[in-house]
Amino acid sequence: MHKLWAVIRREFQTRVQSKAFVISTILGPILMGFLMVMPILMSSRDSEAKRVVVIDGAGGNFGQALERGLSESRRGNGAEAKPRYEVIRIPAQGRVQAVQDSLVPLTGLARDTVHRLDGLLIATDSGVETGVVKYLGDNVGSPSDMTTLENITQGVLLTERLQRRGVDPVLVREAASGRVQLETSKVSEGRLTGESGASSFLLAYAMAFILYLALLIYGIQVMSSVLEEKSNRIMEVLASSLTPFQLMAGKVVGVGAVGLLQLGIWVGSAMLLTSNAAAIAGLFHMPPGSVTQMPLPSISPALLIVFLAFFTVGFFLFAGLYAAVGAMCNTMQEAQQASTAVTVLVATAFFSIFSLLNDPNGSLARVFSLIPFFAPIVMPVRFSLTSIPLYEVALSFAITVLGLFGVAWIAGRIYRVGILMYGKKPSLKELFHWIRTG
């Protein structure tokens, strides 16, 4: 037993003490904080009003209503909210094209801040009828800016259409005073969790991506380690004092402990950041209300346990497969080709979550949760999205553990023969022979 522990300790210490592990472990929480703070910081600093000219070539009040709608738009809420647009309306009936041509050279200038214009909004009668309103500007690549501008224009255009058909302007303004905004809040086990729909999706996607990345990175590390020791003939020395299964188990457990440690640090940092989001916003002199604009998910202790438990089992399962691949190959090129099937299994589990988001308790989701190669990613994602009975989580975990034992048995037999075999990569027929006789 002490020999197995020596292999585990060596694999663990070698990786934990490396500069790559230290740097990646530290950069993880820093990147999380950066991704959380930067959108809020950028939105709070982007307070300069856009200079937009409304070229009014339409009859009625369409141009004036556009000017009023843009002028009333604000960044944020409350008395401290700043204007989003600085609006100039130019009457241009019968000469829209000439006015447009004269103002385009002043739009989007990089240096001239006095005469610079950010955009031109063209108001015409044909735009009212067809619903196609022309906008020329340097910010057309910004989805948020274009969505805001489109929403304002759509409300004004609807009002103008109804007014032209003789509908009471007062009734029009009341009917078109605002758009419906669906405010979502997640309910789990009959209790409000305080999470929005966006935060639930963000949490599910982040968990799936982290699991996918960790399984690939640490699984390939196991394969590379086996292949390196085999190519250096160190394996022959080790095999004289340990059984092949002890060698494989030591590598898998040692690397798995490194992955579990790093994931634990990352998830703990995420919990710390999300629970202190308001205090972090205060450090950057941002209003506490700005935090509510970000879909920050919360990680419950139960979810953390499910996440780490399924990662542990999933890692041992895939690491066994990668160890077997490393044992039966002689070069890294051969190993990369042979490990494609294992990588496809991990990728399939990751991409399957996109079809499960709409119905995490559907038949497909339940079936995938009972397949050992998919459950390590699918079950934690489902658990973060909806309420799942405890027996279903336990059943999925138990089946995955059984799958792990089956993979360990097959991988152990391949490993026992493969670590001392050199030359040509074995065929499928030879692999089956190794499994039967290993």
Side-chain angles (χ1 to χ4, degrees):
M1 187 67 184
H2 69 281
K3 294 180 179 179
L4 175 62
W5 174 249
V7 176
I8 295 173
R9 183 175 58 189
R10 175 184 175 276
E11 294 291 336
F12 181 81
Q13 289 180 345
T14 301
R15 285 166 174 78
V16 169
Q17 293 174 358
S18 66
K19 293 182 180 179
F21 176 84
V22 175
I23 293 173
S24 61
T25 303
I26 294 174
L27 285 181
I30 293 176
L31 181 61
M32 293 177 199
F34 177 80
L35 293 176
M36 184 180 75
V37 171
M38 281 307 296
I40 306 175
L41 191 61
M42 291 175 66
S43 63
S44 64
R45 294 292 185 267
D46 187 19
S47 57
E48 184 179 352
K50 302 287 186 183
R51 298 186 68 187
V52 176
V53 173
V54 176
I55 302 178
D56 187 4
N61 299 318
F62 185 46
Q64 297 175 3
L66 278 177
E67 178 187 14
R68 183 170 57 253
L70 294 173
S71 300
E72 292 174 353
S73 180
R74 294 287 185 272
R75 296 185 184 273
N77 302 313
E80 298 181 356
K82 297 181 180 180
R84 188 181 296 273
Y85 300 103
E86 178 186 337
V87 190
I88 303 170
R89 186 176 69 88
I90 299 179
Q93 289 188 356
R95 55 190 188 95
V96 171
Q97 190 62 47
V99 175
Q100 174 184 314
D101 293 341
S102 65
L103 294 179
V104 166
L106 300 177
T107 305
L109 300 179
R111 297 181 180 178
D112 191 342
T113 58
V114 178
H115 301 93
R116 181 184 189 275
L117 300 176
D118 291 294
L120 309 175
L121 190 61
I122 317 298
T124 60
D125 290 323
S126 64
V128 176
E129 296 300 324
T130 62
V132 179
V133 180
K134 195 178 197 181
Y135 176 77
L136 312 174
D138 65 340
N139 59 333
V140 294
S142 170
S144 60
D145 283 355
M146 293 304 98
T147 300
T148 301
L149 190 61
E150 191 174 76
N151 289 338
I152 295 172
T153 305
Q154 182 177 2
V156 173
L157 188 144
L158 175 62
T159 302
E160 180 65 21
R161 282 178 174 176
L162 293 175
Q163 283 180 339
R164 291 189 179 191
R165 286 160 176 77
V167 181
D168 187 349
V170 176
L171 296 178
V172 171
R173 283 194 295 270
E174 291 179 355
S177 59
R179 59 189 293 268
V180 175
Q181 181 177 358
L182 196 62
E183 183 177 325
T184 60
S185 184
K186 183 180 177 182
V187 179
S188 178
E189 297 292 338
R191 292 177 295 179
L192 286 170
T193 63
E195 295 181 27
S196 65
S199 63
S200 297
F201 170 79
L202 180 63
L203 177 60
Y205 180 80
M207 288 179 60
F209 185 74
I210 290 173
L211 285 168
Y212 166 71
L213 203 61
L215 290 175
L216 280 184
I217 291 176
Y218 289 108
I220 291 174
Q221 282 190 18
V222 172
M223 181 183 72
S224 301
S225 177
V226 173
L227 190 62
E228 180 182 0
E229 292 183 355
K230 180 181 177 180
S231 61
N232 293 335
R233 301 298 177 106
I234 299 176
M235 196 66 72
E236 297 176 2
V237 178
L238 295 174
S240 63
S241 32
L242 292 98
T243 66
F245 187 80
Q246 286 178 326
L247 283 174
M248 186 184 76
K251 286 185 175 297
V252 170
V253 173
V255 177
V258 175
L260 199 61
L261 174 63
Q262 191 170 60
L263 277 183
I265 294 173
W266 286 353
V267 174
S269 301
M271 294 178 66
L272 188 64
L273 288 171
T274 53
S275 60
N276 294 279
I280 294 173
L283 294 176
F284 291 90
H285 306 289
M286 293 182 289
S290 61
V291 177
T292 60
Q293 300 174 7
M294 293 295 295
L296 298 176
S298 59
I299 303 174
S300 64
L303 177 58
L304 179 60
I305 292 173
V306 170
F307 177 83
L308 295 178
F310 274 90
F311 165 76
T312 303
V313 178
F315 170 78
F316 289 149
L317 188 149
F318 283 105
L321 294 177
Y322 277 113
V325 170
M328 71 184 192
C329 296
N330 298 290
T331 64
M332 182 57 69
Q333 184 177 3
E334 288 182 357
Q336 290 174 347
Q337 294 175 351
S339 65
T340 301
V342 184
T343 304
V344 167
L345 285 175
V346 183
T348 302
F350 172 68
F351 288 110
S352 68
I353 69 164
F354 295 102
S355 61
L356 307 180
L357 289 174
N358 292 330
D359 191 8
N361 273 331
S363 301
L364 184 63
R366 293 175 185 272
V367 171
F368 274 29
S369 299
L370 300 179
I371 299 176
F373 298 109
F374 299 156
I377 292 179
V378 172
M379 181 52 76
V381 171
R382 287 185 59 207
F383 195 87
S384 70
L385 288 171
T386 187
S387 300
I388 299 178
L390 183 60
Y391 77 87
E392 192 172 337
V393 179
L395 179 61
S396 175
F397 186 79
I399 291 177
T400 307
V401 171
L402 290 177
L404 167 62
F405 287 150
V407 167
W409 182 81
I410 294 173
R413 286 175 170 262
I414 295 175
Y415 192 89
R416 181 179 302 175
V417 179
I419 55 174
L420 299 177
M421 296 290 291
Y422 299 95
K424 180 184 175 182
K425 186 177 69 173
S427 63
L428 287 177
K429 183 178 179 180
E430 290 173 329
L431 278 181
F432 287 130
H433 180 70
W434 290 4
I435 294 172
R436 290 197 308 267
T437 61

